[in-house]
Amino acid sequence: EVQLVESGGGLVQPGGSLRLSCAASAFTFSSYWMYWVRQAPGKGLVWVSRINSDGSETRYADSVKGRFTISRDNAKNTLYLQMNSLRAEDTAVYYCARGGAYSNSPWDYWGQGTLVTVSS
Amino acid sequence: DIQMTQSPSSLSASVGDRVTITCRASQDISNYLAWFQQKAGKAPKSLIYAASNLQSGVPSKFRGSGSGTDFTLTISSLQPEDFATYYCQQYNGYPPTFGQGTKVEI
């Protein structure tokens, strides 16, 4: 069964950093585009970042550009999101999601999410 | 960015009802439209992709239709486990964008 398991969330002060991880299992991780999506408390889903299957192409939402970095280790079947210069408005549950072989392939599986709280 | 607008934002229904949610894109997205279900405190679950294709394991009471800019999700014979928030998403244009959600309440 395909599984995506996020970790690394927690409470951090404004200006601080966190690294989220998404451990993938039961599929050929290196064949899929991967995504990070976040959901602020009581709000909707917002795309954050994406990375292609070999990690050579990355894109970011304007709200996190220059502060967040997406990466992947295909040998470890793990997706990452390095978050620096965190702001209160970054407080959200962060989900990783699996895409497909192309940038316009549909998404299917999601992780359970990890909560990031930015507060002093 | 392509704007996705869902209506209604919320609706009340009873067990056994059929409900329809609409999603409108601000420009033509062909059939690159997905629907997700999210229950309170849980991760989203993929229901439909390519506007009308059911994901594996999703019951046939969920039906998607539409193309271009106008799409619908119909849920027939609502059951207690179907009360949730539903999101549409376009995945053709960059960036991928979601509708604001439709909460289906008892």
Side-chain angles (χ1 to χ4, degrees), chain B residues 5 14 37 42 54 63 66 74 76 78 86 88 95 98 106:
Chain B
T5 304
S14 301
Q37 175 195 65
K42 301 296 186 182
L54 288 178
R63 189 172 79 88
T74 300
S76 58
L78 269 176
Y86 293 85
C88 63
F98 295 87
I106 300 174

Side-chain angles (χ1 to χ4, degrees), chain A residues 35 37 39 43-47 50 59-62 65 95 103-113, chain B residues 32 34 36 38 41-46 49-50 55-56 87 89 91-100:
Chain A
Y35 298 83
V37 173
Q39 186 171 38
K43 302 297 185 182
L45 301 169
V46 177
W47 169 78
R50 75 177 189 195
R59 300 292 289 270
Y60 301 91
D62 288 344
K65 202 173 296 183
Y95 298 100
S103 62
N104 61 355
S105 297
W107 307 5
D108 50 12
Y109 290 94
W110 295 61
Q112 86 288 352
Chain B
Y32 291 89
F36 299 94
Q38 187 179 34
K42 301 296 186 182
K45 173 188 174 183
S46 177
Y49 66 97
Q55 288 282 4
S56 176
Y87 293 91
Q89 180 218 28
Y91 54 93
N92 185 32
Y94 171 79
T97 47
F98 295 87
Q100 80 279 15

Side-chain angles (χ1 to χ4, degrees), chain B residues 60-79:
Chain B
S60 58
K61 65 179 176 178
F62 293 96
R63 189 172 79 88
S65 63
S67 66
T69 60
D70 293 309
F71 302 87
T72 60
L73 172 68
T74 300
I75 312 169
S76 58
S77 188
L78 269 176
Q79 296 302 305

Side-chain angles (χ1 to χ4, degrees), chain A residues 42-59:
Chain A
K43 302 297 185 182
L45 301 169
V46 177
W47 169 78
V48 172
S49 184
R50 75 177 189 195
I51 188 167
N52 69 342
S53 56
D54 67 7
S56 61
E57 180 187 334
T58 59
R59 300 292 289 270

Side-chain angles (χ1 to χ4, degrees), chain B:
Chain B
D1 296 6
I2 298 174
Q3 307 301 316
M4 305 300 292
T5 304
Q6 289 181 232
S7 60
S9 296
S10 65
L11 65 90
S12 295
S14 301
V15 172
D17 284 355
R18 185 173 85 166
V19 300
T20 298
I21 300 167
T22 64
C23 178
R24 175 163 289 177
S26 60
Q27 63 189 73
D28 189 339
I29 59 169
S30 184
N31 68 335
Y32 291 89
L33 190 283
W35 289 97
F36 299 94
Q37 175 195 65
Q38 187 179 34
K39 298 181 181 179
K42 301 296 186 182
K45 173 188 174 183
S46 177
L47 298 177
I48 286 170
Y49 66 97
S52 61
N53 293 276
L54 288 178
Q55 288 282 4
S56 176
V58 174
S60 58
K61 65 179 176 178
F62 293 96
R63 189 172 79 88
S65 63
S67 66
T69 60
D70 293 309
F71 302 87
T72 60
L73 172 68
T74 300
I75 312 169
S76 58
S77 188
L78 269 176
Q79 296 302 305
E81 62 269 22
D82 301 326
F83 291 92
T85 299
Y86 293 85
Y87 293 91
C88 63
Q89 180 218 28
Q90 68 80 20
Y91 54 93
N92 185 32
Y94 171 79
T97 47
F98 295 87
Q100 80 279 15
T102 296
K103 187 172 185 179
V104 177
E105 301 175 291
I106 300 174

